[in-house]
């Protein structure tokens, strides 16, 4: 199935035959069920598992999105749910920086801001490839990544380090490398959060963010990476919960529920032909204004194909069936959405579904080459912001007297031990990043015999509003070294 948005979707005869055969077996209610993708947790109890069983067997839901848990537990549940499915389920995950975004016992690769700092896009592709291969081994066929939001608001509480950066061109280029790494290895990529969640100062999990830009600005900046990804063939896109009065000024109506946004802008104006996913329909940015079931119907009427994280599937199915009877939406429109979902299932190989093999699963998910890719990512992402007087690389190590002050980490840490492999180093640590002035004041005389002070800050947080977890006393200490000593010093974070 070709998904170039500027062209008609071309379906091969075998795919059409399979889709037609599945459609012929589904009642109208079962077709509605295919529109839903529900949240599943492999770290919950049997009661939760039975609830998903019911949604699969009774309501014929189209997919599951796995949240917290572990790789083997998740694969075991995948087999359980798939065994009960009339039509094989699309299985999705959020794994922007690796499976450990959701699962224990899993590898962390790198957040997208780290990828944005790298000097070679090839490593973005390699990371996405590793994530895709891990997903496929576990029976997962959809990844809700990459994030294509441009990081143009330092106060953004929910995007930030999840973005490739503040350059729309860099975001687009790295995003396309990520998409190709996933889709070249059999996993559907989903670009998010359309039409752009970067310039907000509100978390849409908690409230409805407002973006006041006009259409020219949106087209020039926010929409640019999405358009590039559409042209590159991304198979899915996720619509954010935002309020964009420039496109739809209906009070308290999120973009997810807006027909002018989903159908008018995304499908008609931008010619996108792939699968359109809502963001999670339980998020407060959308759920606080509409009841369960109502929000699902409004999302469907807006033009979305897949209704993600519904709060009440039975109620939503009933409301959508009623809407067909009331001619708010036609059966043909629903069937067209279901066919797109089935085409995606065919592309992932679900037309010839086989259970996940559990033997050696953890070992095979933890591919040794993944660790090599992980090392390459961080090696190529290290950035020298400023190098006054060519301090780096260090020279004359046999005569240079070095002190290391590690803030936010305990003594005996790997960083200082590694630093000591290159030259003798006087090591000091301040485990508490918010230690009082006195701790740092007491350090200053201990540094008097050293020519060079290497200050490293560890375990920072990702929140600009909280100064990334760097305490005021730590900042004052760094400022003192800069302004009141003649020492050479280096700051690492």
């Amino acid at each position: 199935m070709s998904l170039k948005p500027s062209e008609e979707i071309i379906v091969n005869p075998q795919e059409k035959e399979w889709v037609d055969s599945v459609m012929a077996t589904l009642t109208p209610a079962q077709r509605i069920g295919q529109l839903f993708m529900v949240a599943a947790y492999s770290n919950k109890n049997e009661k939760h598992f039975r609830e998903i069983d019911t949604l699969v067997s009774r309501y014929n839901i189209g997919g599951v999105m796995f949240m917290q848990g572990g790789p083997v537990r998740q694969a075991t549940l995948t087999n359980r749910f798939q065994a009960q499915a009339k039509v094989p389920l699309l299985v999705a995950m959020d794994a922007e920086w690796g499976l450990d975004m959701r699962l224990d016992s899993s590898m962390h690769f790198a957040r997208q801001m780290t990828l944005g700092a790298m000097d070679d896009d090839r490593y973005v592709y390699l990371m996405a490839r590793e994530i895709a291969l891990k997903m496929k081994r576990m029976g997962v066929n959809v990844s809700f990544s990459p994030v294509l939001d441009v990081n143009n608001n330092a106060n953004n509480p929910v995007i930030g380090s999840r973005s490739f950066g503040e350059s729309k061109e860099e975001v687009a280029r790295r995003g396309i490398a990520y998409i190709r790494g996933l889709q070249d290895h059999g996993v559907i990529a989903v670009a998010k959060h359309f039409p752009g969640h970067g310039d907000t100062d509100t978390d849409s999990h908690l409230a409805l963010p407002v973006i006041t830009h006009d259409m020219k600005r949106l087209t020039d900046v926010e929409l640019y990476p999405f358009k590039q990804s559409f042209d590159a063939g991304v198979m899915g896109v996720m619509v954010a919960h935002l309020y964009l009065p420039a496109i739809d000024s209906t009070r308290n109506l999120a973009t997810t529920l807006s027909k002018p946004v989903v159908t008018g802008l995304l499908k008609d104006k931008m010619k996108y032909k792939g699968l359109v996913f809502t963001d999670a329909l339980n998020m407060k940015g959308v759920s606080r204004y509409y009841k369960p079931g109502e929000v699902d119907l409004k999302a469907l009427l807006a033009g979305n194909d897949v209704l993600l994280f519904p709060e009440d599937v039975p109620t939503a199915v009933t409301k959508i069936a009623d809407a067909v009877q009331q001619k708010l939406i036609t059966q043909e429109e629903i069937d067209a959405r279901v066919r797109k979902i089935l085409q995606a299932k065919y592309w992932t190989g679900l037309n010839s579904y086989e259970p996940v093999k559990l033997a050696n699963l953890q070992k095979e998910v933890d591919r040794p080459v993944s660790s090599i890719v992980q090392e390459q990512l961080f090696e190529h992402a290290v950035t020298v912001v400023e190098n006054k007087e060519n301090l780096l690389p260090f020279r004359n190590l046999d005569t240079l007297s070095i002190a290391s002050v590690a803030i936010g980490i305990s003594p005996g840490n790997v960083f200082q031990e590694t630093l000591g492999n290159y030259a003798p180093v006087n090591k000091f640590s301040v485990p508490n990043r918010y230690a009082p002035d006195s701790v740092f004041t007491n350090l200053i005389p201990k540094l008097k015999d050293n020519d060079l002070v290497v200050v490293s800050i560890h375990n920072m947080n990702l929140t600009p509003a909280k100064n990334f977890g760097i305490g005021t006393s730590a900042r004052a200490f760094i400022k003192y070294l800069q302004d009141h000593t003649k020492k050479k010093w280096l700051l690492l974070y």
Side-chain angles (χ1 to χ4, degrees):
M1 176 173 61
S2 169
L3 284 169
K4 287 282 187 177
S6 58
E7 304 168 0
E8 290 298 317
I9 294 178
I10 300 170
V11 181
N12 69 49
Q14 293 83 6
E15 178 181 315
K16 184 177 185 304
E17 181 181 358
W18 183 78
V19 171
D20 288 345
S21 68
V22 173
M23 289 292 290
T25 69
L26 300 179
T27 66
Q30 289 172 333
R31 293 179 186 187
I32 292 172
Q34 283 293 292
L35 304 171
F36 294 92
M37 179 174 278
V38 304
Y41 299 74
S42 62
N43 63 349
K44 287 194 174 182
N45 57 24
E46 182 64 24
K47 178 177 180 292
H48 169 71
F49 304 155
R50 286 198 297 268
E51 289 171 351
I52 306 297
D53 290 340
T54 299
L55 295 175
V56 172
S57 61
R58 183 178 300 175
Y59 293 96
N60 196 44
I61 59 170
V64 294
M65 171 192 181
F66 274 104
M67 305 293 280
Q68 294 97 350
V72 176
R73 285 173 288 163
Q74 178 174 307
T76 302
L77 277 182
T78 297
N79 287 346
R80 170 174 169 164
F81 298 149
Q82 292 283 27
Q84 300 175 71
K86 180 179 177 68
V87 182
L89 300 159
L90 276 178
V91 179
M93 284 184 69
D94 260 329
E96 296 166 21
W97 52 83
L99 299 185
D100 90 320
M101 182 172 174
R102 296 298 177 191
L103 302 181
D104 59 28
S105 311
S106 300
M107 176 173 286
H108 177 101
F109 283 98
R111 287 184 176 245
Q112 288 186 193
M113 186 170 285
T114 300
L115 303 181
M118 293 196 305
D119 55 8
D120 191 337
D121 294 346
R122 179 167 60 104
Y123 295 101
V124 181
Y125 179 94
L126 292 176
M127 183 188 103
R129 178 197 70 183
E130 291 304 307
I131 292 173
L133 293 174
K134 294 174 190 295
M135 285 183 154
K136 290 292 285 185
R137 180 63 182 86
M138 292 171 50
V140 180
N141 27 55
V142 179
S143 180
F144 293 130
S145 60
V147 172
L148 293 188
D149 303 317
V150 181
N151 187 38
N152 46 18
N153 188 329
N155 294 318
N156 195 313
V158 67
I159 302 301
S161 64
R162 297 168 65 195
S163 167
F164 288 108
E166 66 275 6
S167 162
K168 65 180 184 180
E169 292 85 4
E170 291 289 323
V171 169
R173 198 175 77 246
R174 312 268 165 148
I176 289 169
Y178 195 126
I179 289 162
R180 288 176 174 155
L182 291 175
Q183 294 186 176
D184 285 355
H185 297 88
V187 170
I188 293 171
V190 180
K192 62 186 186 185
H193 305 82
F194 183 89
H197 206 317
D199 196 4
T200 67
D201 56 10
T202 302
D203 184 347
S204 53
H205 293 85
L206 308 175
L208 183 61
V210 179
I211 294 181
T212 59
H213 300 310
D214 61 20
M215 198 61 214
K216 181 181 185 306
R217 154 61 193 254
L218 291 170
T219 302
D220 288 347
V221 180
E222 278 76 12
L223 294 175
Y224 177 87
F226 289 99
K227 181 62 169 68
Q228 297 301 307
S229 75
F230 299 166
D231 291 343
V234 67
M235 295 181 68
V237 65
M238 178 181 287
V239 182
H241 304 316
L242 305 169
Y243 180 56
L244 267 68
I247 302 176
D248 190 338
S249 59
T250 306
R251 184 176 175 82
N252 295 329
L253 188 71
T255 43
T256 337
L257 311 183
S258 168
K259 190 167 185 176
V261 172
V262 182
T263 298
L265 175 61
L266 176 60
K267 290 186 168 183
D268 293 343
K269 186 174 181 179
M270 299 185 74
K271 309 295 184 187
Y272 185 64
K273 305 291 185 183
L275 272 182
V276 180
F277 293 78
T278 69
D279 207 340
L281 293 175
N282 70 328
M283 291 165 59
K284 295 300 181 184
V286 66
S287 66
R288 71 165 48 183
Y289 301 109
Y290 301 95
K291 295 178 182 178
E294 292 179 356
V295 71
D296 308 81
L297 174 59
K298 289 190 76 67
L300 186 65
L301 294 176
N304 295 282
D305 302 315
V306 180
L307 307 175
L308 183 64
F309 216 141
E311 294 186 283
D312 187 341
V313 171
T315 298
V317 169
T318 299
K319 285 190 174 295
I320 293 170
D322 289 346
V324 175
Q325 294 299 316
Q326 297 166 20
K327 300 188 181 338
L328 298 176
I329 187 170
T330 66
Q331 185 64 49
E332 289 74 22
E333 288 176 299
I334 289 175
D335 289 352
R337 314 271 176 90
V338 176
R339 283 183 173 275
K340 286 175 68 176
I341 292 167
L342 293 176
Q343 288 168 354
K345 291 184 177 186
Y346 185 94
W347 184 89
T348 66
L350 287 173
N351 59 304
S352 54
Y353 164 76
E354 293 183 2
V356 180
K357 293 182 175 64
L358 300 180
N360 300 318
L361 184 140
Q362 184 75 55
K363 180 180 179 181
E364 292 173 12
V365 166
D366 296 335
R367 290 161 39 89
V369 71
S370 295
S371 297
I372 297 172
V373 172
Q374 183 191 51
E375 291 177 7
Q376 291 172 328
L377 294 176
F378 289 100
E379 178 184 349
H380 286 267
V382 172
T383 303
V384 178
V385 177
E386 192 172 23
N387 188 16
K388 288 184 178 180
E389 300 178 7
N390 292 316
L391 180 60
L392 295 174
F394 296 155
R395 300 170 182 81
N396 305 317
L397 293 178
D398 55 336
T399 59
L400 189 65
S401 176
I402 304 173
S404 166
V405 179
I407 302 171
I409 196 167
S410 299
N413 56 78
V414 173
F415 174 77
Q416 289 184 314
E417 294 302 322
T418 303
L419 195 62
N421 290 336
Y422 294 89
V425 176
N426 294 323
K427 301 167 187 172
F428 305 94
S429 67
V430 182
N432 180 7
R433 286 178 284 111
Y434 297 96
D437 289 339
S438 58
V439 172
F440 293 98
T441 301
N442 291 337
L443 265 180
I444 291 171
K446 298 176 183 178
L447 304 175
K448 64 182 180 63
D449 295 328
N450 297 111
D451 307 311
L452 171 67
V453 180
V454 178
V455 180
S456 54
I457 305 176
H458 305 261
N459 298 310
M460 297 164 61
N461 65 40
L462 302 171
T463 309
K466 296 182 179 178
N467 293 309
F468 301 99
I470 306 173
T472 54
S473 296
R475 296 201 306 276
F477 169 69
I478 295 167
K479 185 69 172 171
Y480 178 87
L481 291 177
Q482 180 181 18
D483 295 342
H484 300 289
T485 73
K486 294 182 179 180
K487 295 182 183 299
K488 294 180 179 178
W489 63 284
L490 176 69
L491 177 63
L492 306 172
Y493 56 91

